[in-house]
Amino acid sequence: MPSGPAPPLPCKSVSAPAPRSSVPPRAASRASALPPPGPSASEESAAPDPAKMARRSRHRLLLLLLRYLVVALDYHKAYGFSASKDHQVVTAIEFQEVILACKYPKKTISSRLEWKKLGRSVSFVYYQQALQGDFKDRAEMIDFSIRIKNVTRNDAGKYRCEVSAPSEQGQNLEEDTLTLEVLVAPAVPSCEVPSSALRGTVVELRCQDKEGNPAPEYTWFKDGIRLLENPKLGSPSANSSYTMNTKSGTLQFNTVSKLDSGEYSCEARNSVGHSRCPGKRMQVDDLNISGIIAAVVVVALVISVCGLGVCYAQRKGYFSKETSFQKSSSASKATAMSENDFKHTKSFII
């Protein structure tokens, strides 16, 4: 195979590349063949939807309501209708002094103050710059607060102070509510102690007080010595069959014995004070069997004597004479009636 230089390639003219269009020729031909473009999917979704319009109107209505509430709250604050504060309870002992404090700054010339006692019917305590009712003689004002010098149990209840004063936004009204609780010492309790009892029976002693506040607890005393709430902790010689209720004030002996004879008194006590009833004696006696037998014998003798008397009267004929007398009287009455009837019939025939 001959070797030699390679034949030269044929020369071709090289021209500059034509600018490419953004659309390929095939795509352009297809686009020219397609119909005119319609609304796209996004444009279809942008079309008005009645459900979406209803939702938007609801959202707008809710926004308007929220704006109205905000305005109302701003108005509420501007005109001073303050929200209720923590409720306070004031405790006082009867016949001592107490201060009903209104939690607001010092009184000014332009401010107006009113105190009311709440309940079934509202009554004024401080009105038109003067104390009302029985508070005139036993209370005084200290700024917005009331100082009661001699508080009674009738003063217990719920109170409200109302303060109104002009402000930049309008009339400012504030109020404060409190409860006055009056503690009362117990009075002399009423004690029920039987004067006598039979051994072996159930005996109950009662003690009660209706005035003490808070409710008092009760303690029983025998011959001046306090009885334990748990009788088993006492001395073995004492009777341990009783039950004491410190809440209701009862002292019950399940089986009373002669050891329980003595003088009993009851004391009512609470956090304010205490009081005791005068002592009363209870005597426990045995069942007198001999006395009962003697009484039965006496009753039997009386019945037998009465029976013998009746028999003796019958033998003597006291009861027969009375019967014969009754028979004769009845016979005379019968004859008298027959004669009268005869006369009546005779006159009737004539």
Side-chain angles (χ1 to χ4, degrees), residues 13 20 32 56 59 77 95 103 106 130 145 151 163 173 181 202 213 222 277-278 286 297 309:
S13 60
R20 295 181 179 180
S32 60
R56 289 178 181 177
H59 292 166
K77 290 182 180 179
F95 307 127
K103 297 180 180 179
K106 292 184 178 180
S145 303
V151 67
V163 181
L173 176 63
E181 182 180 356
V202 178
N213 183 35
K222 177 190 174 185
C277 68
D286 292 330
V297 170

Side-chain angles (χ1 to χ4, degrees), residues 4-5 9 17 29 34 42 92 102 142 165 209 258 263-264 319 322 324:
L9 295 173
S29 60
L34 289 174
S42 60
C102 192
I142 304 175
D209 169 70
K258 296 190 71 175
E263 187 178 77
Y264 288 85
F319 294 106
E322 289 180 2
S324 61

Side-chain angles (χ1 to χ4, degrees), residues 93-225:
I93 299 175
E94 192 178 25
F95 307 127
Q96 296 186 9
E97 69 175 33
V98 66
I99 295 178
L100 305 181
C102 192
K103 297 180 180 179
Y104 292 107
K106 292 184 178 180
K107 186 178 180 182
T108 60
I109 299 174
S110 59
S111 61
R112 179 183 175 184
L113 172 66
E114 290 181 2
W115 273 93
K116 299 176 183 178
K117 185 178 181 182
L118 309 180
R120 293 182 179 177
S121 60
V122 179
S123 60
F124 282 99
V125 177
Y126 182 81
Y127 180 67
Q128 292 183 350
Q129 298 182 357
L131 290 165
Q132 305 295 321
D134 61 344
F135 284 96
K136 292 181 180 179
D137 302 327
R138 57 187 183 92
E140 62 178 357
M141 298 301 300
I142 304 175
D143 292 333
F144 287 167
S145 303
I146 301 178
R147 177 191 177 195
I148 305 174
K149 300 177 182 178
N150 188 15
V151 67
T152 65
R153 66 190 70 182
N154 296 326
D155 298 332
K158 186 177 292 186
Y159 292 82
R160 184 176 66 202
C161 70
E162 300 175 357
V163 181
S164 60
S167 63
E168 297 178 356
Q169 294 83 7
Q171 193 72 14
N172 186 18
L173 176 63
E174 294 182 348
E175 63 182 29
D176 188 21
T177 306
L178 56 88
T179 299
L180 174 61
E181 182 180 356
V182 180
L183 305 181
V184 182
V188 177
S190 60
C191 301
E192 298 180 9
V193 180
S195 58
S196 61
L198 292 177
R199 189 185 68 175
T201 59
V202 178
V203 180
E204 185 176 81
L205 284 66
R206 299 183 182 90
C207 180
Q208 189 177 15
D209 169 70
K210 297 182 179 180
E211 298 185 9
N213 183 35
E217 293 188 353
Y218 302 94
T219 305
W220 281 94
F221 294 81
K222 177 190 174 185
D223 298 329
I225 300 174

